[in-house]
Amino acid sequence: MDNSGQVKFIRRIKKALGHPKEDHRRMAEFFNLPISENDRTILKHIKNRTRQEKRKLLKTLIEAAKPINLNVIMLPDVSSVTLAIADLVEQKEPEWGSKKSVMSWNHPLVERLNLKEALSAQNVPVFVSELKNEEEQSASSSDERQRLRQQVIDSYIGITSADFCMADTATLVMRTRPGQARAVSLVPLIHVAVIGEDQIIADLKELYVLLKWDPEHQKETLTNCMTFISGPSKTADIEANMVHGAHGPREVYIYVITNKD
Amino acid sequence: MAEITTENYLSEAKRAIKNQVLQNALEDLQQRFGTATALAYQNLPEGPGLRFKAHDIRMDTIENLDIILEKLAANIQKNGGHVFFAQDGQDAVDYSLQVARRHNVKGVVKGKSMVTEEIGLNNAFIEAGIDVTETDLGEYIIQLAGEHPSHIIAPAIHKTRNDVGKLFSEKLDIPFITDPPKLTQAARKALREKFLSADMGASGCNLACAETGHITTVSNEGNIRMAATMPKIHIAFMGMERVVARLEDHDVLIRLLCRGASAQNMSTYVSYIGGPRYPGQADGPEEFHLVILDNGRSRMLADEDFREMLCCIRCAACLNVCPVYGKIGGHSYGFTYSGPVGAVVTPLLVGINRAKDLCLGETLCGACQDACPVNIDIPRMLLVLRQKLAEGDPAWGVTPANRKERAMYSAWSWMIRNRKVYDLFLKMTAFGQKFLPQKDGMIRRLPPPMHGWTKSRDMKPIAAESFMKRWKKL
């Protein structure tokens, strides 16, 4: 059965191209190729990056962030990031209502910020985008999803980490996992991403080499939703005037923790 | 299919040239993007030569499209996504309506997608009683105004802030404002409600990756992310050529796409979407559908003259440099695709005779090829189309567009190969032209049937003595 129309469709393409029907050989020429010498060198280069080289990447990132109105802030440790976020929560006003709340990822680095406690002084609740019940079809998980959805809609700041940050274009790379919902970096007015200096890579080329060939990332690859974020949402659709916050966040902050502890 | 009004090219073009608001907007657009994109190519670490590599990658993909699409479909299905192959626009529309009906969809939010314009998806949904909202700010503006996009990337360039202010105050029931940030905020608010209440999100696909099984969507506003995250169903549409085999191909093409489209090093959002949410993930769509569309593309693929056009990644860089588009705007082209890309693609999709003025109207100056991130030789294909129009081509169902012109050129060709006849012709015209209206040594008007030639230009008179005669005297 060919409900999807695939067989006929592909047959028409083969005919248009004049290719023979059997093409396992061509398939092998295109996919599952071994790692190239060049990619191996890049991989090695990423792994053996010196402290100085890493600092240089951070400088590149800060420069690339400026023209796209993205705030990249170097901070020495986790506790100074917590303070910075508490300041931000105090200064910034919510977009739709008057009640302040924050939504965060369930992520080891974000957890170490101890935001619940830090923001309790301001009476600002911190919600975590995590399903307690992971059974997809159960009624309780659907209720829970609904609750998380409402929480992210109500929150005016979303706090995430990222898998990588590409210095060249000032781009956060985020993969989707349980506990790390997509909406946290999208729906709130302000997006805050907290990363370690080691997560900075040079560019797209390095990213793709890591995703494809690094044993640590190879298994998970891209997940079902990998997102690049380069700065705040923007539009220039009315008389070419640049306006931030078209649909996504109006402000984006990347806090880079420079000290390893 | 979308409405086709390619027959009105000339009258629409004349109207556009008289529209001063549009003229200013087009000039501004081309000045901003034209030079900025060229500079963005120069600033690539590999230099502008990366465009040639990109062309090779795209050609290699197109020539192996069968196995690449099979791989893409298999990978998406493995991740729980549905893939549908649509032979034509109607197939694609029918499938989307089926999915919508199965889930009792009442509202659809859409990210900008030219291919859904091509198949007329919005009207089909509206006729089925489903509310469809365009969510790209420019597309939203023109949807509220009941128009069609006039540019692939900047669909509402023909609207002023006053137009938008009036439109919003009427349709969104807000006070009249003209400040772009405030107008944007009003749209953000109205569209946020749509995103949160919609049951289905629809998007295009900029460039899929076969080996990983993902589509990509690129936007600056974040509307496509919204449409692909908040509703319970995500349906994506792609022309069958919008794919490459591997991630390393994306390294070249995503960078060039962002530069070609808007002179950015990277657009604000690029998403790789490879299926519905996994168990345990808090958000993302329950169902993911990918509709892969032929709709005349396999015919382009089969013709080696036009196969190259399938390399196009619809970035609109060619519109931003085209001297013709820069004057007549997008609506004159009478179909979804405008500018140089439209001048080749539209005739091939809707009929070469029907859209003949599109390829005849371009100048062959080559600016489009220089601006193209994948270096497509558009002028070459414009010439092939013109040749088909001149000589006819049964394979494409083309009849010679102008039999009178063809007869005249045949006669001309016969005459210049017969010296005596030609000399007689020269003698007669040298004499006859004295009776034509002249100014500053130029002929102002030719008599019918050649009068069209002097409609917008003067003509140099024929020399009193031919070169051959003067040569003999020397």
Side-chain angles (χ1 to χ4, degrees), chain A residues 19 95 208 233 239 250, chain B residues 63 161 185 188 221 272:
Chain A
H19 282 318
E95 180 179 19
Y208 292 140
S233 153
E239 291 190 6
R250 192 172 300 155
Chain B
E63 282 172 351
R161 63 178 76 192
Q185 179 65 16
R188 175 182 169 99
E221 297 186 0
Y272 284 78

Side-chain angles (χ1 to χ4, degrees), chain A residues 145-191:
Chain A
R145 276 210 177 83
Q146 203 48 48
R147 178 177 55 79
L148 290 175
R149 181 182 163 102
Q150 199 50 50
Q151 284 174 343
V152 79
I153 291 166
D154 293 340
S155 294
Y156 81 121
I157 298 183
I159 297 170
T160 71
S161 184
D163 286 290
F164 306 99
C165 185
M166 297 188 277
D168 183 33
T169 48
T171 304
L172 292 163
V173 180
M174 317 168 84
R175 287 178 283 181
T176 314
R177 303 180 186 89
Q180 299 172 8
R182 314 163 195 210
V184 182
S185 63
L186 175 67
V187 175
L189 181 68
I190 298 165
H191 173 209

